[in-house]
Amino acid sequence: MNDFTFQSPTRFVFGRGVTDRVGAELAAAGHARALVVYGQGSVVRTGTLGRVTASLEAAGVAYAELAGARPNPEVTLVREGVRRARELGADVILAVGGGSVIDTAKAISLGVPHDGDVWELFAKRARPVAEGKPAVASVLTIPAAGSEASDSCVISNDELCLKRGLSSELNRPELAFMDPELTFTLPAYQTAAGVTDMIAHILERFFSAAGPVPVTDHIACGLIRTLIEETPRVLERPDDYDARANIMWVGTLAHNGIAGVGRNAQPASRAGGWESHGLEHELSAHDPKITHGAGLAVVMPAWLRYVSDGEAATERLLALGREVFGIEPVDAETDGVDVAPEEAVRDAALATVDALQDFFVSIGMPRTLGELGVTADDVPALLATLEQNKGSEFGEIRRLTMDDARRIYESAL
Ligand code: NZQ
Ligand code: ZN
């Protein structure tokens, strides 16, 4: 197990009805002025926004609203939010929504004390500062990105065709309100994309080059098994509270860092090479209509298959196959088949990738890039911005060049 530092400082307020306690909790935490950020209307239609603002009023927390964060959120609204937060003197940015809304809130919070355009922080031309930065809180309406507790924030810039992540401990939200009943209204596709994103957050860390770390690996596999068990239940019955609640909490644990403890290369770094996310972010940067989780459902198996013959990846695939899917290499002697041990191992590794991909497809996710509207003609543009974001090589379990990335995209067409 490698040395690590880990903190998850967010206070989680979890359960039925916590939506009505937002104002009281914010006031108790010393907040008096909130900029309430939300998306494209679901929280208005479901009544969630009204419950939140009523609780703010009851608790004497002043607020202003900022609507319109879109999936794969864009920097223009962040700029507007920075202006509004300064005007209001906001001491907390309160996101009511999913990862896109929370990331918009995080970026606004980072932008408030920054002297200059907020994009400079994402372009890594300036560093975020703590002083004068409002806190971030969220009322989570879709379990997926894990942004309610993560150290990261991902923002798109349509003009530059870029989608950029910014990881910093300053991004850890102070409070997360997690009411599983709010997720009953999620469309099946968003539920499934969210689950896929969670599995990706776990596997990016699992497929780091650290070798076995049993405590973390069992947590990781347990989280994935929970998703495999609970997701069909909510697709069948969207108001299954316990299944929704379990999925919601997995979303947090998948990305607050606990699923990578001891697998990180440097004590303060995040575990893993984040290859699937690197490959996916180019898809949703070029076409913001592509849902992050759906893109991952396609590129993650393609990447795993591509690297599956390496020694380190093989060890990881066998561990995942055994613990999550019950896949073991066949044994020529006991199973009475004529297969060389290396071939049996290779078959088990590939069968594990197949099982993972079949699970994604079984919950309604795409198998190919074609289903997302991406064609061979799009690949050069994806590679150009991938190189801007990642440099000429990236990844950990196996370093990937831009030529490798091209082959991975092409294998998924
Ligand atoms: O905009 P509204 O109308 O609210 O609709 C949303 C949106 O269309 C809808 N929705 C949310 N809650 C709902 C609901 N519909 C009905 N009932 C509800 N209860 O769902 C759609 C998707 O919402 P979004 O916030 O985009 O989903 P998600 O949480 O998957 O966030 C995706 C974004 O997070 C980024 C992704 O790249 C993407 O931009 N990520 C952020 C991370 C982080 N900050 O740690 C890590 C992730 O790897 C990811 O990259
Ligand atoms: Zn993700």
Side-chain angles (χ1 to χ4, degrees):
M1 186 192 289
N2 294 340
D3 296 349
F4 62 88
T5 59
F6 169 61
Q7 62 169 345
S8 187
T10 306
R11 174 177 163 88
F12 303 104
V13 185
F14 191 107
R16 289 183 176 91
V18 299
T19 312
D20 303 310
R21 284 171 37 203
V22 174
E25 288 276 350
L26 288 183
H31 297 302
R33 306 177 82 75
L35 180 68
V36 180
V37 185
Y38 58 97
Q40 303 200 309
S42 75
V43 298
V44 178
R45 290 191 294 278
T46 57
T48 301
L49 183 69
R51 288 171 67 188
V52 171
T53 53
S55 84
L56 294 175
E57 281 160 24
V61 178
Y63 67 91
E65 292 178 20
L66 179 72
R70 67 158 208 221
N72 304 308
E74 217 266 334
V75 68
T76 311
L77 189 73
V78 176
R79 293 184 178 121
E80 164 75 6
V82 169
R83 202 178 56 70
R84 299 276 292 280
R86 286 178 182 155
E87 230 169 58
L88 177 70
D91 52 39
V92 60
I93 315 296
L94 174 63
V96 185
S100 298
V101 178
I102 302 173
D103 285 2
T104 302
K106 286 180 173 179
I108 292 170
S109 162
L110 293 171
V112 166
H114 175 62
D115 185 17
D117 178 27
V118 66
W119 183 255
E120 291 168 357
L121 302 171
F122 291 86
K124 315 285 154 69
R125 289 196 294 271
R127 291 171 69 84
V129 295
E131 207 185 324
K133 185 186 159 307
V136 173
S138 72
V139 179
L140 188 65
T141 64
I142 169 172
S147 188
E148 68 278 6
S150 78
D151 64 352
S152 81
C153 171
V154 189
I155 297 293
S156 292
N157 183 321
D158 286 356
E159 200 184 332
L160 303 176
C161 227
L162 289 176
K163 183 171 178 179
R164 278 272 166 98
L166 172 59
S167 294
S168 160
E169 288 299 324
L170 293 178
N171 277 328
R172 300 273 190 185
E174 179 181 303
L175 267 160
F177 297 90
M178 303 174 65
D179 180 344
E181 286 184 341
L182 299 188
T183 69
F184 291 177
T185 54
L186 276 173
Y189 190 80
Q190 288 298 336
T191 296
V195 165
T196 306
D197 193 17
M198 293 173 203
I199 293 179
H201 296 161
I202 298 164
L203 291 184
E204 302 279 22
R205 293 173 165 96
F206 192 87
F207 282 88
S208 58
V213 180
V215 55
T216 296
D217 294 348
H218 293 319
I219 289 173
C221 290
L223 294 174
I224 297 175
R225 286 171 58 177
T226 305
L227 294 173
I228 290 175
E229 284 163 18
E230 302 302 318
T231 306
R233 290 189 221 274
V234 301
L235 293 177
E236 175 78 23
R237 203 160 72 76
D239 62 350
D240 183 331
Y241 179 86
D242 282 317
R244 287 288 192 190
N246 277 277
I247 292 172
M248 193 173 222
W249 189 231
V250 172
T252 302
L253 299 179
H255 200 32
N256 76 340
I258 199 165
V261 159
R263 304 199 54 81
N264 42 309
Q266 300 296 326
S269 69
R270 182 190 284 180
W274 291 78
E275 295 86 343
S276 305
H277 273 69
L279 294 163
E280 191 298 307
H281 280 166
E282 300 316 322
L283 303 176
S284 48
H286 284 261
D287 181 358
K289 288 191 293 305
I290 293 179
T291 301
H292 173 58
L296 288 167
V298 175
V299 296
M300 193 175 11
W303 159 61
L304 285 174
R305 229 172 250 122
Y306 189 79
V307 300
S308 62
D309 57 352
E311 198 181 324
T314 299
E315 181 276 321
R316 296 281 76 202
L317 281 168
L318 292 185
L320 179 71
R322 184 177 307 119
E323 196 162 334
V324 172
F325 298 108
I327 294 171
E328 294 277 2
V330 294
D331 183 313
E333 217 165 290
T334 52
D335 296 322
V337 284
D338 183 20
V339 57
E342 314 78 61
E343 201 185 326
V345 162
R346 179 94 190 109
D347 287 350
L350 289 174
T352 299
V353 183
D354 289 347
L356 181 70
Q357 185 161 39
D358 289 347
F359 171 70
F360 294 147
V361 172
S362 78
I363 61 172
M365 288 289 97
R367 191 182 283 277
T368 64
L369 288 176
E371 290 166 66
L372 293 168
V374 177
T375 70
D377 292 347
D378 299 317
V379 173
L382 299 175
L383 293 172
T385 47
L386 180 68
E387 189 163 11
Q388 276 188 56
N389 278 332
K390 294 284 182 187
S392 56
E393 276 189 23
F394 71 110
E396 186 176 311
I397 196 114
R398 186 198 292 178
R399 298 290 288 168
L400 300 173
T401 63
M402 290 304 116
D403 197 45
D404 293 321
R406 180 180 57 75
R407 287 168 202 261
I408 294 171
Y409 284 132
E410 286 175 353
S411 75
L413 287 169

